[in-house]
Short mmCIF file of all heavy atoms in Angstrom, two decimals:
data_model
loop_
_atom_site.label_atom_id
_atom_site.label_comp_id
_atom_site.label_asym_id
_atom_site.label_seq_id
_atom_site.Cartn_x
_atom_site.Cartn_y
_atom_site.Cartn_z
N SER A 1 0.81 -1.22 0.00
CA SER A 1 0.00 0.00 0.00
C SER A 1 0.84 1.27 0.00
O SER A 1 0.33 2.36 -0.28
CB SER A 1 -0.94 0.00 1.21
OG SER A 1 -0.20 -0.10 2.42
N LEU A 2 2.13 1.15 0.29
CA LEU A 2 3.02 2.32 0.30
C LEU A 2 3.63 2.60 -1.06
O LEU A 2 4.30 3.62 -1.24
CB LEU A 2 4.15 2.09 1.32
CG LEU A 2 3.72 1.95 2.77
CD1 LEU A 2 4.90 1.51 3.64
CD2 LEU A 2 3.16 3.27 3.29
N ILE A 3 3.42 1.71 -2.03
CA ILE A 3 4.12 1.77 -3.31
C ILE A 3 3.17 2.25 -4.41
O ILE A 3 2.10 1.69 -4.60
CB ILE A 3 4.70 0.38 -3.65
CG1 ILE A 3 5.70 -0.03 -2.58
CG2 ILE A 3 5.35 0.38 -5.04
CD1 ILE A 3 6.00 -1.50 -2.54
N ASP A 4 3.59 3.29 -5.12
CA ASP A 4 2.75 3.86 -6.17
C ASP A 4 2.85 3.10 -7.48
O ASP A 4 1.89 3.08 -8.27
CB ASP A 4 3.15 5.33 -6.40
CG ASP A 4 2.92 6.17 -5.17
OD1 ASP A 4 1.76 6.35 -4.77
OD2 ASP A 4 3.92 6.64 -4.57
N ARG A 5 4.00 2.49 -7.73
CA ARG A 5 4.17 1.77 -9.00
C ARG A 5 5.21 0.68 -8.84
O ARG A 5 6.22 0.87 -8.16
CB ARG A 5 4.59 2.73 -10.11
CG ARG A 5 4.62 2.07 -11.49
CD ARG A 5 4.74 3.09 -12.59
NE ARG A 5 4.81 2.48 -13.89
CZ ARG A 5 5.04 3.13 -15.03
NH1 ARG A 5 5.21 4.44 -15.00
NH2 ARG A 5 5.09 2.50 -16.18
N MET A 6 4.93 -0.47 -9.46
CA MET A 6 5.89 -1.56 -9.54
C MET A 6 6.31 -1.73 -10.99
O MET A 6 5.48 -1.66 -11.90
CB MET A 6 5.27 -2.88 -9.06
CG MET A 6 4.84 -2.91 -7.62
SD MET A 6 6.18 -3.11 -6.42
CE MET A 6 6.94 -4.65 -6.92
N LEU A 7 7.60 -1.93 -11.22
CA LEU A 7 8.09 -2.18 -12.57
C LEU A 7 8.93 -3.46 -12.56
O LEU A 7 9.90 -3.56 -11.80
CB LEU A 7 8.94 -1.02 -13.08
CG LEU A 7 8.19 0.25 -13.50
CD1 LEU A 7 9.16 1.37 -13.82
CD2 LEU A 7 7.31 -0.04 -14.71
N GLU A 8 8.56 -4.43 -13.39
CA GLU A 8 9.34 -5.65 -13.48
C GLU A 8 10.47 -5.46 -14.49
O GLU A 8 10.25 -4.93 -15.58
CB GLU A 8 8.45 -6.83 -13.91
CG GLU A 8 9.20 -8.15 -13.91
CD GLU A 8 8.29 -9.34 -14.13
OE1 GLU A 8 7.08 -9.13 -14.36
OE2 GLU A 8 8.78 -10.48 -14.06
N VAL A 9 11.67 -5.87 -14.10
CA VAL A 9 12.86 -5.65 -14.91
C VAL A 9 13.48 -6.99 -15.26
O VAL A 9 13.70 -7.84 -14.39
CB VAL A 9 13.88 -4.78 -14.14
CG1 VAL A 9 15.15 -4.57 -14.97
CG2 VAL A 9 13.26 -3.43 -13.77
N SER A 10 13.77 -7.18 -16.55
CA SER A 10 14.38 -8.44 -16.98
C SER A 10 15.82 -8.53 -16.49
O SER A 10 16.48 -7.53 -16.24
CB SER A 10 14.34 -8.56 -18.51
OG SER A 10 15.30 -7.68 -19.09
N ASP A 11 16.31 -9.77 -16.38
CA ASP A 11 17.70 -9.97 -15.95
C ASP A 11 18.68 -9.35 -16.93
O ASP A 11 19.67 -8.73 -16.53
CB ASP A 11 17.99 -11.47 -15.81
CG ASP A 11 17.22 -12.11 -14.67
OD1 ASP A 11 16.85 -11.39 -13.72
OD2 ASP A 11 16.99 -13.33 -14.72
N ALA A 12 18.40 -9.50 -18.23
CA ALA A 12 19.30 -8.94 -19.24
C ALA A 12 19.39 -7.43 -19.11
O ALA A 12 20.48 -6.84 -19.21
CB ALA A 12 18.83 -9.32 -20.64
N ASP A 13 18.25 -6.76 -18.86
CA ASP A 13 18.26 -5.31 -18.71
C ASP A 13 19.00 -4.90 -17.44
O ASP A 13 19.71 -3.89 -17.41
CB ASP A 13 16.83 -4.77 -18.68
CG ASP A 13 16.19 -4.76 -20.06
OD1 ASP A 13 16.90 -4.97 -21.06
OD2 ASP A 13 14.96 -4.53 -20.13
N SER A 14 18.82 -5.66 -16.35
CA SER A 14 19.53 -5.35 -15.10
C SER A 14 21.04 -5.40 -15.30
O SER A 14 21.77 -4.50 -14.87
CB SER A 14 19.12 -6.33 -13.99
OG SER A 14 17.79 -6.11 -13.57
N LEU A 15 21.51 -6.48 -15.95
CA LEU A 15 22.95 -6.60 -16.18
C LEU A 15 23.46 -5.55 -17.14
O LEU A 15 24.55 -4.98 -16.94
CB LEU A 15 23.28 -8.00 -16.71
CG LEU A 15 23.74 -9.00 -15.64
CD1 LEU A 15 22.60 -9.33 -14.69
CD2 LEU A 15 24.30 -10.27 -16.28
N ALA A 16 22.67 -5.25 -18.18
CA ALA A 16 23.08 -4.23 -19.13
C ALA A 16 23.22 -2.87 -18.45
O ALA A 16 24.21 -2.15 -18.66
CB ALA A 16 22.07 -4.15 -20.26
N ALA A 17 22.25 -2.52 -17.63
CA ALA A 17 22.29 -1.23 -16.93
C ALA A 17 23.43 -1.20 -15.92
O ALA A 17 24.05 -0.15 -15.70
CB ALA A 17 20.95 -0.97 -16.24
N MET A 18 23.71 -2.33 -15.28
CA MET A 18 24.87 -2.42 -14.38
C MET A 18 26.15 -2.04 -15.12
O MET A 18 26.96 -1.24 -14.63
CB MET A 18 24.96 -3.84 -13.82
CG MET A 18 26.17 -4.13 -12.98
SD MET A 18 26.38 -5.91 -12.64
CE MET A 18 27.07 -6.47 -14.22
N HIS A 19 26.34 -2.61 -16.32
CA HIS A 19 27.54 -2.32 -17.10
C HIS A 19 27.55 -0.87 -17.60
O HIS A 19 28.58 -0.20 -17.54
CB HIS A 19 27.65 -3.29 -18.28
CG HIS A 19 28.08 -4.66 -17.90
ND1 HIS A 19 29.35 -4.96 -17.47
CD2 HIS A 19 27.40 -5.85 -17.88
CE1 HIS A 19 29.46 -6.24 -17.20
NE2 HIS A 19 28.28 -6.81 -17.45
N ALA A 20 26.41 -0.40 -18.10
CA ALA A 20 26.36 0.96 -18.64
C ALA A 20 26.63 1.99 -17.55
O ALA A 20 27.35 2.98 -17.77
CB ALA A 20 24.99 1.21 -19.28
N LEU A 21 26.06 1.78 -16.38
CA LEU A 21 26.28 2.73 -15.27
C LEU A 21 27.71 2.65 -14.76
O LEU A 21 28.30 3.68 -14.42
CB LEU A 21 25.28 2.44 -14.15
CG LEU A 21 25.32 3.40 -12.95
CD1 LEU A 21 25.09 4.84 -13.38
CD2 LEU A 21 24.27 2.99 -11.91
N SER A 22 28.27 1.45 -14.72
CA SER A 22 29.67 1.31 -14.31
C SER A 22 30.58 2.09 -15.24
O SER A 22 31.52 2.77 -14.81
CB SER A 22 30.07 -0.16 -14.29
OG SER A 22 29.33 -0.88 -13.32
N ASP A 23 30.29 2.02 -16.53
CA ASP A 23 31.08 2.79 -17.51
C ASP A 23 30.89 4.29 -17.30
O ASP A 23 31.85 5.07 -17.39
CB ASP A 23 30.66 2.42 -18.93
CG ASP A 23 31.05 0.99 -19.30
OD1 ASP A 23 31.91 0.41 -18.61
OD2 ASP A 23 30.48 0.45 -20.27
N LEU A 24 29.66 4.71 -17.03
CA LEU A 24 29.37 6.13 -16.84
C LEU A 24 30.08 6.70 -15.62
O LEU A 24 30.60 7.82 -15.66
CB LEU A 24 27.85 6.33 -16.70
CG LEU A 24 27.35 7.76 -16.52
CD1 LEU A 24 27.58 8.57 -17.79
CD2 LEU A 24 25.86 7.75 -16.17
N LEU A 25 30.13 5.92 -14.54
CA LEU A 25 30.71 6.41 -13.29
C LEU A 25 32.21 6.13 -13.19
O LEU A 25 32.90 6.71 -12.33
CB LEU A 25 30.01 5.75 -12.10
CG LEU A 25 28.52 6.07 -11.91
CD1 LEU A 25 27.97 5.29 -10.72
CD2 LEU A 25 28.31 7.57 -11.72
N GLY A 26 32.72 5.22 -14.03
CA GLY A 26 34.13 4.88 -13.95
C GLY A 26 34.45 3.94 -12.81
O GLY A 26 35.61 3.81 -12.41
N ARG A 27 33.45 3.25 -12.27
CA ARG A 27 33.65 2.25 -11.21
C ARG A 27 32.48 1.28 -11.23
O ARG A 27 31.38 1.64 -11.67
CB ARG A 27 33.79 2.89 -9.84
CG ARG A 27 32.59 3.71 -9.38
CD ARG A 27 32.93 4.42 -8.08
NE ARG A 27 31.89 5.28 -7.60
CZ ARG A 27 31.00 4.94 -6.66
NH1 ARG A 27 31.05 3.73 -6.12
NH2 ARG A 27 30.09 5.79 -6.25
N ARG A 28 32.70 0.09 -10.76
CA ARG A 28 31.68 -0.94 -10.85
C ARG A 28 30.58 -0.77 -9.80
O ARG A 28 30.86 -0.46 -8.65
CB ARG A 28 32.32 -2.32 -10.67
CG ARG A 28 33.17 -2.75 -11.85
CD ARG A 28 33.89 -4.05 -11.53
NE ARG A 28 34.59 -4.57 -12.72
CZ ARG A 28 35.41 -5.59 -12.69
NH1 ARG A 28 35.65 -6.23 -11.55
NH2 ARG A 28 36.00 -6.01 -13.80
N VAL A 29 29.35 -1.00 -10.25
CA VAL A 29 28.20 -1.03 -9.35
C VAL A 29 27.59 -2.42 -9.42
O VAL A 29 27.78 -3.16 -10.38
CB VAL A 29 27.15 0.04 -9.72
CG1 VAL A 29 27.77 1.43 -9.72
CG2 VAL A 29 26.50 -0.26 -11.07
N GLY A 30 26.82 -2.79 -8.39
CA GLY A 30 26.22 -4.11 -8.34
C GLY A 30 25.00 -4.23 -9.23
O GLY A 30 24.44 -3.24 -9.73
N PRO A 31 24.52 -5.46 -9.45
CA PRO A 31 23.41 -5.69 -10.38
C PRO A 31 22.08 -5.10 -9.91
O PRO A 31 21.26 -4.72 -10.74
CB PRO A 31 23.34 -7.22 -10.46
CG PRO A 31 23.98 -7.72 -9.20
CD PRO A 31 25.06 -6.73 -8.90
N SER A 32 21.83 -5.02 -8.61
CA SER A 32 20.57 -4.44 -8.15
C SER A 32 20.51 -2.94 -8.46
O SER A 32 19.42 -2.40 -8.68
CB SER A 32 20.37 -4.68 -6.65
OG SER A 32 21.40 -4.11 -5.88
N THR A 33 21.66 -2.29 -8.51
CA THR A 33 21.69 -0.89 -8.93
C THR A 33 21.32 -0.77 -10.40
O THR A 33 20.64 0.18 -10.82
CB THR A 33 23.08 -0.28 -8.67
OG1 THR A 33 23.42 -0.45 -7.29
CG2 THR A 33 23.10 1.21 -9.00
N GLY A 34 21.74 -1.75 -11.20
CA GLY A 34 21.32 -1.79 -12.59
C GLY A 34 19.81 -1.91 -12.71
O GLY A 34 19.18 -1.24 -13.54
N THR A 35 19.20 -2.75 -11.88
CA THR A 35 17.74 -2.88 -11.87
C THR A 35 17.08 -1.54 -11.59
O THR A 35 16.10 -1.15 -12.25
CB THR A 35 17.30 -3.92 -10.81
OG1 THR A 35 18.03 -5.14 -11.00
CG2 THR A 35 15.81 -4.19 -10.89
N ASN A 36 17.61 -0.82 -10.61
CA ASN A 36 17.07 0.51 -10.29
C ASN A 36 17.16 1.46 -11.47
O ASN A 36 16.21 2.21 -11.76
CB ASN A 36 17.83 1.11 -9.10
CG ASN A 36 17.54 0.41 -7.79
OD1 ASN A 36 16.56 -0.31 -7.65
ND2 ASN A 36 18.40 0.63 -6.81
N LEU A 37 18.30 1.45 -12.17
CA LEU A 37 18.49 2.37 -13.28
C LEU A 37 17.50 2.09 -14.41
O LEU A 37 16.98 3.02 -15.04
CB LEU A 37 19.92 2.29 -13.80
CG LEU A 37 20.24 3.21 -14.99
CD1 LEU A 37 20.05 4.68 -14.62
CD2 LEU A 37 21.66 2.97 -15.49
N VAL A 38 17.22 0.83 -14.68
CA VAL A 38 16.25 0.49 -15.73
C VAL A 38 14.90 1.12 -15.41
O VAL A 38 14.25 1.70 -16.29
CB VAL A 38 16.12 -1.03 -15.89
CG1 VAL A 38 15.00 -1.38 -16.87
CG2 VAL A 38 17.43 -1.64 -16.38
N ALA A 39 14.46 1.01 -14.17
CA ALA A 39 13.18 1.61 -13.79
C ALA A 39 13.22 3.12 -13.87
O ALA A 39 12.24 3.76 -14.30
CB ALA A 39 12.81 1.16 -12.38
N MET A 40 14.33 3.74 -13.49
CA MET A 40 14.46 5.20 -13.59
C MET A 40 14.30 5.65 -15.04
O MET A 40 13.61 6.64 -15.32
CB MET A 40 15.82 5.64 -13.05
CG MET A 40 16.01 5.44 -11.56
SD MET A 40 17.69 5.88 -11.04
CE MET A 40 17.57 7.67 -10.91
N LEU A 41 14.94 4.94 -15.95
CA LEU A 41 14.86 5.31 -17.37
C LEU A 41 13.44 5.13 -17.90
O LEU A 41 12.96 5.96 -18.70
CB LEU A 41 15.84 4.48 -18.18
CG LEU A 41 17.32 4.83 -17.98
CD1 LEU A 41 18.22 3.76 -18.58
CD2 LEU A 41 17.63 6.19 -18.60
#
């Protein structure tokens, strides 16, 4: 009841966003951060 929207993210998109964000920041981030980025986009 506290959540306004749920977005399901595929594993391929999570890993892709993990790599893309790691490249953007110049350091590695974990896969759950990739999941977050997919939903943000």
Side-chain angles (χ1 to χ4, degrees):
S1 58
L2 296 171
I3 299 161
D4 298 294
R5 187 168 178 186
M6 297 283 302
L7 285 173
E8 185 171 4
V9 178
S10 73
D11 292 335
D13 285 350
S14 290
L15 264 67
M18 174 192 78
H19 285 290
L21 183 57
S22 296
D23 292 343
L24 181 67
L25 296 178
R27 60 187 177 98
R28 289 174 173 172
V29 303
S32 60
T33 304
T35 308
N36 290 343
L37 180 61
V38 173
M40 293 175 81
L41 288 167

